Amino acid sequence: MLKIENLNKSYGDKVVLKTVSLEMKEHDIVCLMGKSGMGKTTLLRCLNQLETRDSGTITLNDLVLDSSTTRNKEFQKQVGMVFQNYNLFPHLSVLENCINAPIYHKLMTRQEAIKKAEQLLEEMELLEEKNSHPLNLSGGQRQRVAIVRACMLDPKILCFDEPTSALDSESTDKVVEMIKKLSEKEIGILIVTHDEPFVSKLGAKVIYLEQMNH
């Protein structure tokens, strides 16, 4: 499903990723662990085209990500990202945050987007908050809104950057449940985390990046 081969990324003289390779299939939950500065988040950002890699191949199913600086929109639609700080628009309601991207990219009509968003929000037990603004939500609720937003385009791979860093244990348990449910939907889940109890609850495959990154 996802194949990363010999990925390299440097910032000036600082080598962040060196010949990193990774494979995962649909339904897989893979956690990237390791010390800070080992390039875990950079790997996610390369996969999401938020950073341009220096070399290496990224393939998702039969789609190869071009190494040029031009964004591959078809690839972009198939990779969702849930950021550590959620990156929700504070001036937009929960619903508007969720429908913004599919409408902007002309992938759905407004009514289609609303219908899909309300269905996903209901699954995440957030439908009653659809008209709320992010600042009026708890950290756990914001996390779930970010997950709904990322799922609006039906990604094949869903990336999480430190999903439990700002959550209490009860919210973390809910995130564990949600990620397990998402992996049943033929989505591959790729998570950057330092949270070992969270990883053990997920029963995820663990990759220590410092062992790959040499």
Side-chain angles (χ1 to χ4, degrees):
M1 184 190 191
L2 174 68
K3 191 171 187 179
I4 299 172
E5 296 178 277
N6 299 319
L7 185 67
N8 293 286
K9 175 68 181 174
S10 299
Y11 297 103
D13 295 334
K14 182 175 171 56
V15 177
V16 182
L17 296 169
K18 186 176 179 183
T19 61
V20 171
S21 296
L22 165 71
E23 279 190 58
M24 60 185 293
K25 302 180 183 128
E26 58 190 32
H27 305 299
D28 279 355
I29 303 175
V30 176
C31 290
L32 294 175
M33 300 189 76
K35 297 172 186 170
S36 295
M38 293 304 301
K40 301 182 298 298
T41 297
T42 301
L43 191 152
L44 292 192
R45 290 179 66 82
C46 287
L47 185 56
N48 280 273
Q49 302 181 76
L50 299 169
E51 299 279 359
T52 305
R53 65 197 186 284
D54 299 333
S55 61
T57 308
I58 302 177
T59 309
L60 181 53
N61 294 326
D62 297 324
L63 199 59
V64 180
L65 180 58
D66 193 324
S67 60
S68 74
T69 53
T70 308
R71 285 198 169 196
N72 184 324
K73 289 186 179 176
E74 190 55 40
F75 196 100
Q76 195 175 13
K77 281 189 287 185
Q78 296 195 34
V79 182
M81 179 82 167
V82 180
F83 295 91
Q84 185 173 359
N85 60 359
Y86 318 129
N87 280 19
L88 299 172
F89 296 112
H91 62 290
L92 296 181
S93 69
V94 164
L95 184 64
E96 292 291 337
N97 263 284
C98 295
I99 66 175
N100 183 273
I103 292 173
Y104 175 79
H105 292 294
K106 297 185 169 66
L107 299 170
M108 301 175 199
T109 66
R110 183 175 176 84
Q111 283 312 113
E112 287 169 342
I114 288 172
K115 184 178 178 182
K116 179 162 188 172
E118 287 182 342
Q119 182 184 344
L120 289 168
L121 287 167
E122 188 166 21
E123 284 179 27
M124 295 284 178
E125 300 174 8
L126 278 171
L127 189 55
E128 62 190 31
E129 301 292 348
K130 71 177 184 178
N131 296 317
S132 301
H133 284 71
L135 292 175
N136 296 323
L137 302 178
S138 68
Q141 287 173 319
R142 273 180 262 177
Q143 176 76 277
R144 282 180 278 157
V145 173
I147 292 170
V148 169
R149 183 180 62 180
C151 288
M152 284 293 291
L153 302 182
D154 293 323
K156 302 296 181 193
I157 296 288
L158 191 52
C159 303
F160 289 82
D161 190 7
E162 299 287 358
T164 60
S165 62
L167 302 184
D168 58 28
S169 59
E170 186 181 342
S171 296
T172 296
D173 288 344
K174 280 192 174 177
V175 171
V176 168
E177 283 174 37
M178 285 183 291
I179 289 175
K180 285 182 174 178
K181 278 184 189 170
L182 288 167
S183 73
E184 291 168 8
K185 294 185 178 186
E186 300 186 353
I187 298 176
I189 310 286
L190 185 58
I191 304 168
V192 163
T193 183
H194 288 93
D195 188 342
E196 291 187 8
F198 166 65
V199 173
S200 61
K201 285 176 185 175
L202 275 175
K205 177 182 177 183
V206 179
I207 294 174
Y208 290 95
L209 202 57
E210 58 260 53
Q211 293 172 2
M212 304 164 62
N213 200 4
H214 55 77

